[in-house]
Amino acid sequence: MTQKTALITGVTGQDGSYLAEFLLEKGYRVVGMVRRTSTVNFDRIKHIQDQIEIVQGDLLDQSSLMEIIRAYQPDEVYNLAAQSFVPTSFSQPVLTGEFTALGVTRLLEAIRHVKPDARFYQASSSEMFGKVVEVPQRETTPFYPRSPYGVAKVYGHWITVNYRESYGMFACSGILFNHESPRRGLEFVTHKVTHAAARIKLGLQRELRLGNLEARRDWGYAGDYVRGMWLMLQQDQPDDYVLATGETHSVRELCEVAFGHVGLDWRDYVVVDPKHYRPAEVDLLIGDASKARRVLGWEPSVNFEQLVRMMVDADLQALQNQHVPLSEKNA
């Protein structure tokens, strides 16, 4: 059997790193696209970096995308790159639109012209549902985005559908609900909370300032979700799928589990700060992944409490390694 080649945009991100690991285990040749900047962070993939072919490209530059597809002839393309932090999308809405919306079109156009038989995965988002019109949210739920990021993701989603229907391309969108891991960026609330709990436990921090504690999300484990991405591209027909746990938890519960795991009462340390509220809040997201279960055979394997404890433990370990005296490290 010939080896398959997969191109991953956003390979240095949380999802990109887990997907690269997963595909390497499946025997793929993995090509990871990174932007040419002076601040590319390879921390999440440093343990597999010598097994990945890193190539420079940019979702803002279509010619670079065409050149990569021409050079590597990928069988599968996973578009995980985006400006993906919701608060930043309010302060940089145009840039968010360029990467997260138009970037999808540029990549689809490059595939259409150079390698039209490549299978394409678009990372859609539960943020597209925003001000939800039904609970839980499924593939047929109307979108009502509440941030420039959510709006850009809706564009990326529909342009993927459009290319599938207009050009017969094998193009899928995964509507992924929140998925976290120890590799999640510290700007995201889950990692902000688990990291703070670990720092407070170790005496490195005194308080944690948060916004809306009642906001509820459907949080799963990123390692489970990249498996779902791959499964979508192994089907006979392209389609769109919701990936979610079907459970919802509040930021308050997140604090309870994280601080409780290290023997602390979160109420002694968490301060609600109005400056951390969004201009337009998304209060409740919960997904119905029954289609993915039925068609893909996909199931999440890590529950909410396990996920939060996993992240706290990883943060404790990392912080302890950072603060071990040099004499002990060399012992």
Side-chain angles (χ1 to χ4, degrees):
M1 195 174 90
T2 56
Q3 184 184 38
K4 282 186 179 179
T5 297
L7 170 65
I8 304 173
T9 73
V11 72
T12 59
Q14 170 189 257
D15 291 7
S17 66
Y18 280 109
L19 180 61
E21 275 178 355
F22 179 85
L23 293 175
L24 286 170
E25 288 171 10
K26 291 280 183 190
Y28 279 68
R29 176 195 188 194
V30 176
V31 180
M33 190 182 95
V34 298
R35 294 180 67 210
R36 184 184 177 88
T37 70
S38 57
T39 56
V40 177
N41 184 344
F42 290 100
D43 284 355
R44 294 184 183 95
I45 59 167
K46 62 187 176 188
H47 61 298
I48 52 171
Q49 199 170 337
D50 60 344
Q51 301 171 63
I52 299 172
E53 295 174 57
I54 299 294
V55 59
Q56 291 180 344
D58 199 317
L59 289 178
L60 302 187
D61 176 32
Q62 187 161 341
S63 63
S64 71
L65 302 176
M66 294 181 80
E67 196 49 51
I68 290 168
I69 296 200
R70 188 173 290 115
Y72 293 95
Q73 296 289 306
D75 301 286
E76 299 172 3
V77 177
Y78 296 86
N79 184 36
L80 310 185
Q83 190 303 101
S84 60
F85 188 45
V86 173
T88 298
S89 78
F90 283 101
S91 60
Q92 298 183 1
V94 175
L95 184 70
T96 299
E98 285 286 351
F99 277 113
T100 309
L102 291 176
V104 186
T105 314
R106 294 186 188 102
L107 187 51
L108 283 165
E109 270 291 277
I111 294 168
R112 182 170 79 89
H113 286 292
V114 180
K115 186 82 166 49
D117 63 336
R119 296 190 167 200
F120 176 77
Y121 172 84
Q122 166 60 12
S124 287
S125 167
S126 60
E127 286 286 334
M128 301 189 306
F129 297 121
K131 188 175 180 179
V132 299
V133 298
E134 67 176 354
V135 178
Q137 295 88 51
R138 50 184 68 84
E139 292 81 6
T140 55
T141 301
F143 300 134
Y144 195 146
R146 296 271 280 171
S147 66
Y149 169 75
V151 172
K153 279 292 186 185
V154 169
Y155 176 98
H157 179 87
W158 281 118
I159 201 70
T160 300
V161 172
N162 193 261
Y163 271 66
R164 178 169 74 220
E165 295 179 352
S166 300
Y167 305 115
M169 293 171 63
F170 195 108
C172 300
S173 284
I175 306 172
L176 272 54
F177 280 67
N178 294 61
H179 46 287
E180 318 295 318
S181 74
R183 300 179 195 171
R184 189 58 141 155
L186 275 172
E187 68 272 23
F188 291 88
V189 69
T190 43
H191 203 180
K192 186 177 179 181
V193 169
T194 63
H195 192 249
R199 283 180 57 84
I200 290 169
K201 179 64 177 179
L202 296 174
L204 301 171
Q205 185 173 326
R206 291 190 174 184
E207 68 175 25
L208 168 62
R209 304 185 84 83
L210 294 173
N212 182 11
L213 298 184
E214 305 314 317
R216 304 183 70 86
R217 294 292 184 273
D218 184 327
W219 278 302
Y221 171 53
D224 286 335
Y225 286 55
V226 300
R227 187 175 76 253
M229 299 175 188
W230 175 78
L231 284 167
M232 291 178 208
L233 296 197
Q234 310 315 307
Q235 304 307 305
D236 292 335
Q237 298 296 326
D239 207 345
D240 306 322
Y241 299 89
V242 163
L243 296 187
T245 68
E247 293 182 8
T248 183
H249 298 274
S250 67
V251 176
R252 185 185 301 274
E253 289 175 76
L254 171 63
C255 293
E256 285 174 7
V257 176
F259 281 82
H261 187 52
V262 291
L264 300 176
D265 186 335
W266 69 275
R267 291 168 293 192
D268 296 333
Y269 306 99
V270 174
V271 178
V272 174
D273 186 340
K275 83 172 187 184
H276 291 293
Y277 277 74
R278 292 184 184 182
E281 185 57 81
V282 173
D283 295 313
L284 172 64
L285 291 174
I286 178 169
D288 175 2
S290 55
K291 179 179 173 182
R293 286 186 169 88
R294 186 178 71 253
V295 179
L296 306 178
W298 179 85
E299 291 274 358
S301 67
V302 177
N303 68 30
F304 175 71
E305 287 78 11
Q306 291 170 328
L307 172 64
V308 177
R309 292 181 193 127
M310 174 203 301
M311 293 175 68
V312 172
D313 288 340
D315 285 327
L316 277 172
Q317 185 68 55
L319 288 164
Q320 285 167 337
N321 288 344
Q322 285 173 21
H323 291 87
V324 169
L326 209 55
S327 56
E328 288 183 37
K329 279 188 178 177
N330 296 331

